[in-house]
Amino acid sequence: MTLSNAGLIDTVTAEPRITAGAPSVVLGHLSNLTQEKGIREVVDLAVDLRRAGREVELIVAGPIVNHQAGEQIARAQLALGANFRYLGAVYGADKRDFFGRLTHFVFPSTYKNEAAPLVVLEAMGAGIPVAAYDVGTLHEMLSPSDLLVPVHQDFVSAVSAWADQLDWAEAHAASIAKFEEMTSAYNDEIIGVVSALVGPSQ
């Protein structure tokens, strides 16, 4: 019997605060920051969009695990200036605030043990469209409006094209709906597990 990780997530009721004059694309990435988790691709994407003339902001959260990740954070600071923020580890209200600032959540992880990433579920619960590499069970998790990129394809070009044509309001609703569907499935699953453990009621 299996249980979805959706049951481990508190819904993040965050509506992105898109205001006049703000960048049209606010990319977010949250993880233990490593090359395997995709920090290089995240920075490449933001830099590529800016070079193409897009108004883009990048917000990265999570601990810097090694010096390679630290180099990518420094590269983002140099290339993006005031349009880049590194928050470090975030929890509770700080995490809600992080998701509330995003228009897109990007997760280009190629980590070999990736399964059902909690951060992706948190983004979906907040209604943030997600772009991710096709690893673990992400093909079962994402909504039709999200982007699943085969690991052999270029993440930056795929996400750039997706962001250009995305109907944001539709994707926002689809992410929430998919998260609620997974949460409902978890509730059914946990009842099945408990029933199997305690046996039929007398």
Side-chain angles (χ1 to χ4, degrees):
M1 304 182 76
T2 61
L3 287 172
S4 167
N5 278 353
L8 306 177
I9 305 300
D10 290 328
T11 303
V12 183
T13 54
E15 187 80 23
R17 295 188 291 276
I18 303 172
T19 59
S24 59
V25 175
V26 183
L27 302 173
H29 176 71
L30 168 61
S31 70
N32 290 324
L33 302 180
T34 66
Q35 299 287 65
E36 282 186 309
K37 288 284 188 176
I39 185 60
R40 178 187 293 276
E41 287 84 355
V42 169
V43 176
D44 284 346
L45 174 61
V47 171
D48 186 78
L49 288 172
R50 185 167 187 182
R51 286 175 178 167
R54 296 291 296 273
E55 286 294 325
V56 61
E57 182 178 351
L58 173 61
I59 306 175
V60 173
I64 297 173
V65 174
N66 52 40
H67 74 275
Q68 291 95 343
E71 289 172 352
Q72 295 304 317
I73 294 299
R75 182 166 71 95
Q77 290 170 332
L78 181 63
L80 300 172
N83 280 6
F84 172 72
R85 280 182 289 170
Y86 171 60
L87 305 180
V90 291
Y91 305 96
D94 289 336
K95 184 183 286 189
R96 287 191 294 274
D97 183 69
F98 165 77
F99 283 114
R101 295 180 182 276
L102 307 184
T103 62
H104 303 72
F105 185 77
V106 288
F107 194 71
S109 175
T110 56
Y111 178 52
K112 65 181 181 179
N113 294 323
E114 204 71 73
L118 299 181
V119 291
V120 171
L121 289 166
E122 288 172 328
M124 294 175 69
I128 310 302
V130 175
Y133 268 135
D134 186 4
V135 295
T137 63
L138 281 166
H139 63 283
E140 300 174 2
M141 294 167 55
L142 298 189
S143 82
S145 295
D146 294 326
L147 179 68
L148 196 64
V149 182
V151 292
H152 63 275
Q153 289 188 8
D154 180 64
F155 188 83
V156 172
S157 60
V159 177
S160 296
W162 169 74
D164 278 339
Q165 55 79 40
L166 184 70
D167 182 323
W168 195 89
E170 179 182 301
H172 172 75
S175 290
I176 293 175
K178 182 63 176 180
F179 178 80
E180 290 175 347
E181 175 188 317
M182 288 187 288
T183 301
S184 177
Y186 171 86
N187 291 335
D188 292 339
E189 292 163 358
I190 194 67
I191 290 171
V193 169
V194 172
S195 297
L197 290 173
V198 303
S201 60
Q202 300 297 320

